[in-house]
Structures are given as structure tokens and as C-alpha cells.
Amino acid sequence: MERRRPLATLLATVLAACGLLVSAPAADAADVELARNGGFEAGLSEWSCSAGSGAVISSPVHSGSKALQATPAGSDNAKCSQTVTVQPNSAYTLSGWVRGNYVYLGASGTGATDVSTWTQSAPDWQKLTTSFRTGASTTSVTLYTHGWYGTAAYQADDLSLIGPGGDPVQVPAAPAGLKAGTPTSTTVPLSWSAVPGATRYTVYKGGAQVTTVSGTSATVTGLNPSTAYTFQVTAGNSAGDSPKSAAVTATTTSGGGEPGGDLPAHALVGYLHSSFANGSGYTRMADVPDSWDVINLAFGEPTSVTSGDIRFKLCPETECPNVESEAEFKAAIDAKQAAGKKVLISIGGQNGQVQLATTAARDAFVSSVSNIIDTYGLDGLDIDFEGHSLSLQNGDTDFRSPTSPVIVNLIQAIKTLKAKYGAKFVLTMAPETFFVQLGYQFYGSGPWGGQDPRAGAYLPVIHALREDLTLLHVQDYNSGPIMGLDSQYHSMGGADFHIAMTDMLLTGFPVAGNTERVFPALRPDQVAIGLPASTNAGNGHTPTAEVNKALDCLTKKTNCGSYQTHGTWPALRGLMTWSINWDRFNGWEFSRNFDAYRW
């Protein structure tokens, strides 16, 4: 029996006979693989996973030797994403292999209709595929995969985006506008204008590379007093580095060291409940172990919210039966200082709202705080303003030139105290993340009003006093999720949160997303990480193993997890904890772990 030829073959025969057959078009030469590290063979390089949810595994894999595993937790769906360059008005095909329940694959920012596909259940590897067309002006899209809230971990491998490649990456131009800020005896702050297409900036001192950052500012540290230095900057991306910028010269001062004097290279800061008791019990000053380098007396509190009149007294004997006498307390402070420790008065706390809304309140603050410092022979001041102490008025939108009275008066008051007590005056601050890192997204009530006016409200205080600031130890606890420089939300309780939050302080960041208003990086010796000493001390307790991971990542670039820091800072000052009392209650676990850590 004769075999019938397929219809397509018959049609081709007819067209050929008529001279109408043309060859099939060749594949579009511009169609290329655009997903980077889609097989995760290079770990999580090129990928960013929300809340530290992603990890690379060696089994199961679809191909190669590695795959992605991401674990949803709480309100996080374990989203892993990367942004790729594309062409406008072009067709793309997105595909990938997944395992697990409720696994999604999609693309956003297409400029047209964003797309996604998913599987309800994939007990073994299942391929997901979708396609889209970019909009008329679209030059980049974000690829992502994620799971679903409350479900188990999912796996993904061999993620692919096929279509026309984006324009070739060009080497950026040399940065312009390089300026040197006010030097100290050992540091020079630098800033410059953003360069289109740059993903990094490299700073040179006397022609030698000293640091690389992602923002438009950096502080060069480790300099010699009374010395002139010349600096230049290059801009770089995947195509290479620009020529060096025009040079700027700055001369360090002859001052006697950094603000606050002779703290150890790596210090432990703790709060001592001196004026009250709680579940942790009262700890006498003389019983504080030598582990603690800075002891903050908690708390000096105002006679009223707006008075500025700060008072401090020891816990009443009825509340703290083992409280020492005033004389014993002062003698113990003297002994600590003789051993090289710093003892400060901490103002505020959860219950001590302080609003210096008038110049009279400002002056009362200076007078009353001076009286406390003089009475007990203290080394300085810790600002622990919480709640509604600091907020920004409508229209106060630039952290570099604040206008809100409670902000301006606080800055003036602290500068007056610093001028009175001199270079050895120790100034520390313990704001919550809401008042600092949240400023990356929101600042005050916003340009149109309606936002919480407290958002980012510590930033103008820190910035105005950065040359007087000994230590900033943001409270990485009692915090909601905060967006890091990777534009992902990070949640407290693990190394990832401390890494991301500290990286923001040491890298600098645009305030409220405004690249013209960048909060400059602090020096690493000005930064400590704030944590609760135990599960009883506050929400967001971090196990000591996770604390060590955070220190490893920030100071050695190891144990970093999914978050990629913008530098390595071996001079990070140390840790702060709430509190010494709670650490004693917990068998001194926190301080002993600090003592054992190898920097």
C-alpha cells in the first residue's frame, strides 16, 4: 500500500512547482540568553532573594551541580529576582524548571503586560514557560521566581530568558564634582556627582586604590594628622572603569584623635538599668564585668515631655532592694573609668519622651544634662530618643538643612555640650531603624504630606553631628521589615538583618530615593550593631551564632548569605546590647560571646 505524504510535504511540492517556495527564515541573530547564572552554578550571584530566603543546594538539581532553594516564611514569599537589559518592542520567552507547591515564574516591568506562570504541585522537576513583548520604551525587565506564604521550600533551576539582547554596556564617563568635606585628624569625607550607567565607584588616594562603593560618597579613614592627601574617583560597570576624575586635595587636622577619645578598637556597649527595676533585676555598677567598654546609665528622663529638664536618680530601694548608695555608685563609676571604661548618661528610652520644641527647652536640656554629667563625673551622653521625641514638620524635606525646631534645638544642645566638655566627650546614639534606615524609602511626611513625620527623623541629627559622634548603634530590634540597599525587605532576628542594616550605614544611601540627597557613609569605627541580650530583652533576639555570622560578613566578607555588602569593614567598632542586666539574667551569654569572637 502506498504511504501518504504529509500535507506539509504536498504543500511544499505544489509551492515549489509554482516557484513560490521560499526558505524558512533563519533564527533571529539578536536572540540570546539574557538570564545570568540561571543554573545557579555560581551560587546566588546575580540573584537577590527576599528576607534572606534563598540558598544554593547540590540536590535535587535539574542539570549541572547546583540549584536554587528558597523558603517562604511568615509574610515573605521567598522571591528571588534579577534585572536584565532588553530591547523595546521585542518578544521574549521566559522559562525555568521548578519543584514544589505553588511555585511561580514571571517577569515584571515589561512596559506592557507583566506575565507569570505557576504550578500548584510539582513533586518532580516541571518546566514553566511564558512569553511577553516589551513596551515602546522598555530597556530592562525583572525576572523572578517565588513560592507562596506558609508553604514549604521550593527549588528552581535552569532559568532562561531568550530574546534580543540589550544595548552593549558602555564604560561610564569620569565622575565630576568631586568634593572633600570637613576632614578630621584621620579621615576625609568625599562626595561626587552620579554617573549614568555606573554601578560602582573606586576611590584613589595618591593614585592608589583605597575603597570601592556603590553610592556617590565615601569616607577615607586611617589617615595621618596634619597631612595633605590627593583623591580621585573612577566610575565603573561590567564594561570597565572610567578615567580618573579631576583630583581634589584635603588636609587632615592636627586634632587628638576621633571624638570620644580612647575606646578600644572593638568595643562592647551596654545599658545598665540604674534608675528602675524590671524582670531582669537590679545590677550594681561595681558588679558590671570588665567585658563592657561603654556603660550607658538608663535613663535620664524629662520632668515633662517639652520641658527639656532632665533628671536622673538611682532606683528606689523599695523597687531595687540591692541598690547601692550614691557614694558607692560614684565610687564604682570612678573605678570603671580608672580601668579605661566610659560611663555615659542615656537620655530618653521607651518612656522618656523628649521634645525640645523651644529654645527654653533646649537651654534647660543643656543645663540639666550638664548637672548630671558633673554630679557623677560621667564621660558623655547617649541619645536614646524614641516614640514621638523626634519628628519632621511638613516641608522639612532635606536632612542636610533641617528646619523642625525639635531637630534644630537638639543639634544645637549637643553641640553646646560638646564644646563645653571638649574632644574627649563621648557622644553615642541609639535610634530605632524607623528613624534611620527607613529613611531610604521615606523621609518625614513626604513631599505631599500624609506619611509618618517621624520616618528618618534621626538622619539630620546624625548628619549634623557626624564629626562629633563617637558611636551610632541603631537598635536592630523591635523593628518591622526594613528595605535594604538591595531593594529587598529584611526582617530582624538573623544575621541578614544586621548585615543589611549595617551595610546601609557604612555605604550611605539616597534619602527617600532622592539621588541628589545622599546620606553619606559613616566611618566603621563610628558604628556598632545594636541587639537584645536575650529573648527576654526585646523582640528580634539574634542567636550568638547569627551574631558571629553578621560580624564575619561585615568585617571579613565571609558567611554573608544572600546579601552582598558594598564593602568590607574590619574596623567596625563592635556591638551594643539592651541590656547589661538582661545579659546577667541570661548567664552573660552575649558578652562572653563577644569576648570570644576573633576579629
Side-chain angles (χ1 to χ4, degrees):
M1 181 181 290
E2 180 184 18
R3 295 181 61 186
R4 296 187 177 181
R5 289 181 289 177
L7 178 60
T9 303
L10 291 172
L11 179 59
T13 302
V14 173
L15 291 174
C18 297
L20 299 176
L21 182 63
V22 294
S23 59
D28 189 341
D31 283 354
V32 295
E33 175 61 72
L34 298 175
R36 304 179 302 277
N37 188 31
F40 300 95
E41 300 302 309
L44 290 176
S45 174
E46 307 292 349
W47 295 93
S48 177
C49 296
S50 60
S53 57
V56 172
I57 57 174
S58 56
S59 179
V61 299
H62 175 256
S63 71
S65 61
K66 296 178 182 177
L68 167 71
Q69 178 166 289
T71 307
S75 60
D76 177 63
N77 63 2
K79 182 177 181 179
C80 295
S81 61
Q82 72 168 249
T83 300
V84 300
T85 303
V86 295
Q87 293 280 3
N89 290 320
S90 300
Y92 293 87
T93 299
L94 174 65
S95 65
W97 293 83
V98 300
R99 292 176 82 256
N101 297 327
Y102 297 96
V103 190
Y104 290 71
L105 178 68
S108 61
T110 65
T113 301
D114 290 348
V115 296
S116 66
T117 182
W118 65 289
T119 177
Q120 181 175 355
S121 177
D124 202 353
W125 291 106
Q126 177 179 328
K127 188 174 185 179
L128 299 178
T129 303
T130 187
S131 61
F132 60 90
R133 190 170 186 86
T134 53
S137 59
T138 301
T139 57
S140 66
V141 298
T142 299
L143 319 180
Y144 65 84
T145 182
H146 67 73
W148 199 246
Y149 310 99
T151 59
Y154 71 88
Q155 294 83 40
D157 200 1
D158 297 329
L159 304 186
S160 170
L161 181 69
I162 300 295
D167 293 332
V169 177
Q170 301 294 325
V171 174
L178 177 61
K179 297 178 182 178
T182 303
T184 69
S185 59
T186 60
T187 68
V188 173
L190 301 171
S191 63
W192 53 89
S193 301
V195 178
T199 59
R200 66 176 181 271
Y201 298 93
T202 301
V203 179
Y204 293 83
K205 178 189 71 179
Q209 179 178 333
V210 291
T211 188
T212 299
V213 298
S214 61
T216 55
S217 65
T219 298
V220 181
T221 61
L223 306 178
N224 295 319
S226 303
T227 305
Y229 293 93
T230 299
F231 303 96
Q232 292 173 285
V233 181
T234 62
N237 57 24
S238 59
D241 291 298
S242 73
K244 292 178 182 175
S245 69
V248 65
T249 299
T251 301
T252 53
T253 67
S254 58
E258 301 306 334
D262 52 351
L263 284 180
H266 302 294
L268 182 61
V269 182
Y271 287 79
L272 185 68
H273 310 176
S274 299
S275 63
F276 61 94
N278 58 15
S280 65
Y282 185 82
T283 299
R284 296 163 65 101
M285 173 64 73
D287 295 332
V288 175
D290 287 342
S291 300
W292 304 92
D293 300 296
V294 181
I295 303 166
N296 292 329
L297 305 181
F299 286 105
E301 298 182 357
T303 54
S304 70
V305 172
T306 58
S307 70
D309 185 10
I310 307 299
R311 303 297 174 89
F312 171 79
K313 56 185 177 181
L314 290 176
C315 183
E317 189 173 355
T318 53
E319 187 178 350
C320 304
N322 61 325
V323 65
E324 65 265 65
S325 68
E326 283 274 334
E328 291 171 328
F329 186 67
K330 292 178 181 178
I333 291 174
D334 290 342
K336 291 297 179 188
Q337 293 169 328
K341 312 303 180 183
K342 306 296 183 183
V343 185
L344 318 180
I345 180 64
S346 180
I347 307 297
Q350 180 177 346
N351 298 324
Q353 306 288 300
V354 181
Q355 296 176 2
L356 304 184
T358 64
T359 54
R362 176 200 66 193
D363 296 343
F365 182 88
V366 171
S367 175
S368 58
V369 171
S370 296
N371 182 59
I372 296 170
I373 291 173
D374 295 342
T375 297
Y376 293 96
L378 303 180
D379 296 288
L381 171 66
D382 173 69
I383 299 295
D384 187 14
F385 285 15
E386 299 181 17
H388 290 270
S389 293
L390 296 181
S391 62
L392 296 156
Q393 293 181 332
N394 287 340
D396 190 351
T397 58
D398 190 344
F399 74 94
R400 300 167 299 182
S401 54
T403 58
S404 302
V406 294
I407 304 291
V408 173
N409 289 332
L410 176 61
I411 293 169
Q412 292 175 349
I414 296 174
K415 282 188 173 292
T416 300
L417 289 167
K418 177 63 188 292
K420 176 179 180 178
Y421 291 103
K424 290 189 177 297
F425 184 75
V426 179
L427 173 63
T428 67
M429 300 183 193
E432 297 163 294
T433 57
F434 188 92
F435 297 93
V436 182
Q437 287 93 339
L438 185 66
Y440 178 53
Q441 290 181 277
F442 309 106
Y443 187 69
S445 57
W448 302 283
Q451 295 174 186
D452 192 319
R454 299 173 299 163
Y458 250 94
L459 292 176
V461 180
I462 299 167
H463 185 65
L465 296 167
R466 63 174 55 239
E467 297 303 327
D468 302 309
L469 180 65
T470 309
L471 273 178
L472 176 72
H473 30 65
V474 174
Q475 301 177 33
D476 285 1
Y477 50 93
N478 297 334
S479 170
I482 301 291
M483 181 177 287
L485 297 181
D486 57 353
S487 296
Q488 303 294 321
Y489 283 96
H490 300 267
S491 298
M492 61 183 183
D496 172 81
F497 190 64
H498 306 298
I499 294 167
M501 295 301 100
T502 307
D503 182 58
M504 296 180 77
L505 302 177
L506 297 175
T507 302
F509 55 88
V511 175
N514 187 342
T515 56
E516 298 300 317
R517 296 177 181 176
V518 175
F519 178 78
L522 292 167
R523 303 190 316 268
D525 63 272
Q526 289 180 297
V527 176
I529 306 172
L531 310 100
S534 69
T535 54
N536 306 92
N539 295 321
H541 173 255
T542 305
T544 53
E546 291 293 301
V547 174
N548 293 345
K549 285 181 183 178
L551 291 176
D552 286 346
C553 178
L554 292 164
T555 65
K556 305 169 188 173
K557 201 77 167 181
T558 61
N559 285 328
C560 288
S562 62
Y563 186 90
Q564 297 299 309
T565 63
H566 295 77
T568 306
W569 303 279
L572 179 73
R573 181 65 77 177
L575 301 179
M576 173 276 279
T577 191
W578 176 264
S579 63
I580 295 172
N581 305 60
W582 279 116
D583 192 38
R584 180 182 184 182
F585 184 86
N586 199 41
W588 302 113
E589 180 186 56
F590 188 91
S591 54
R592 286 175 176 170
N593 181 69
F594 178 86
D595 291 341
Y597 184 77
R598 295 293 174 258
W599 294 85

